[in-house]
Amino acid sequence: PERRIFSGLSLSLEKGEILGLIGPNSSGKTTLLKLMDGLLHPQQGKVLLQEKELNRLPRSQVARMIAVVPQTMEVPFAFTVGEIVLMGRAPHLTRFGWEKRKDLDIARGAMALTDVAGLEERAFWELSQGEKQRVLIARALTQEPDVILLDEPTSHLDINHQVEINELIRSLNLQKKLTVLHISHDLNLAAEYCHRIVMLHKGSVSSVGTPAEVITEENIRR
């Protein structure tokens, strides 16, 4: 509580763009993502979602609009991959409602897109880190969100799956106008797939612009 994480921080995530968020460790990237999802509340300032204050919206409404892919997720119970992915439909169900055929079809479509369809009956905890990450992306897509926040989603993947996931995100952005915030330590992938990049440094925006404007020798050295 005594340490100020951000100072004078201001940025926008525009509808239909892929925004890359880069910066050294402890620059506040994951904290900012949690603020943008409403998991943390700012002590000063506001987070706005479509011009409405995020923290005043019901969580179920936020969850229908924003999906998050964390770096890792611990699952204490023996949920299967299919069950984990189907959890993405929770914001669209009534309090005591059950999934219908449409919900199952959406979940299976997301699993096919992320190449985990063959793992549907496997226990989530048995999977490799790369497989788990693709399952979490499938769960996020099953929410059918307008905005997806990705916290280093490809950090545990081999290069083939890194490229596949980034191509998938770009395809969804083009076809469904999905708005994306993508935290990444891989500057090459960020430059290849992001429309704009925000560089954080010591709790403030150090640089913002196109990949060519932000990923410069001077900025990287600093």
Side-chain angles (χ1 to χ4, degrees):
E2 69 281 357
R3 188 165 72 91
R4 184 182 291 271
I5 305 298
F6 299 116
S7 178
L9 179 71
S10 180
L11 60 87
S12 62
L13 176 59
E14 303 295 341
K15 183 177 177 63
E17 79 168 339
I18 301 177
L19 180 68
L21 188 62
I22 64 174
N25 290 332
S26 301
S27 59
K29 300 185 296 297
T30 297
T31 302
L32 179 58
L33 182 145
K34 291 178 179 178
L35 284 167
M36 294 176 71
D37 186 45
L39 295 173
L40 294 178
H41 295 186
Q43 292 168 304
Q44 297 176 7
K46 296 178 181 178
V47 180
L48 302 178
L49 176 62
Q50 296 181 350
E51 300 183 359
K52 297 177 182 176
E53 195 168 344
L54 183 69
N55 293 333
R56 296 182 181 274
L57 298 174
R59 283 304 299 172
S60 58
Q61 182 178 346
V62 174
R64 287 193 292 271
M65 301 174 72
I66 300 176
V68 176
V69 179
Q71 290 181 27
T72 58
M73 187 178 88
E74 297 301 323
V75 177
F77 302 106
F79 288 116
T80 66
V81 167
E83 289 168 335
I84 292 287
V85 174
L86 203 53
M87 289 176 187
R89 297 305 297 164
H92 301 275
L93 305 177
T94 58
R95 183 179 294 267
F96 299 107
W98 290 94
E99 298 88 353
K100 297 179 173 60
R101 175 54 64 89
K102 175 187 175 184
D103 301 303
L104 294 169
D105 289 344
I106 291 170
R108 285 176 178 144
M111 284 189 281
L113 282 173
T114 52
D115 196 25
V116 294
L119 305 176
E120 188 172 345
E121 300 300 324
R122 290 272 303 279
F124 181 77
W125 61 267
E126 292 180 345
L127 304 181
S128 69
Q129 279 300 119
E131 289 169 333
K132 286 179 179 177
Q133 206 66 12
R134 285 184 280 139
V135 169
L136 295 180
I137 294 171
R139 183 186 64 169
L141 296 178
T142 299
Q143 282 178 240
E144 295 190 305
D146 299 315
V147 179
I148 188 167
L149 309 178
L150 302 150
D151 193 354
E152 297 187 63
T154 62
S155 59
H156 299 293
L157 303 183
D158 60 45
I159 187 63
N160 287 332
H161 279 114
Q162 285 184 31
V163 172
E164 285 176 12
I165 290 299
N166 278 283
E167 289 288 351
L168 170 62
I169 291 166
R170 178 153 64 183
S171 174
L172 292 168
N173 168 259
L174 290 171
Q175 294 174 18
K176 300 188 176 184
K177 305 303 179 186
L178 184 67
T179 303
V180 180
L181 176 80
H182 190 166
I183 295 177
S184 178
H185 276 298
D186 191 317
L187 302 185
N188 293 312
L189 289 174
E192 175 72 20
Y193 290 100
C194 296
H195 301 132
R196 288 193 304 138
I197 289 179
V198 169
M199 178 181 280
L200 289 185
H201 184 54
K202 295 182 179 179
S204 62
V205 174
S206 172
S207 181
V208 59
T210 64
E213 292 169 335
V214 174
I215 301 179
T216 65
E217 184 177 352
E218 179 185 349
N219 283 341
I220 293 170
R221 180 184 292 115
R222 185 171 76 249

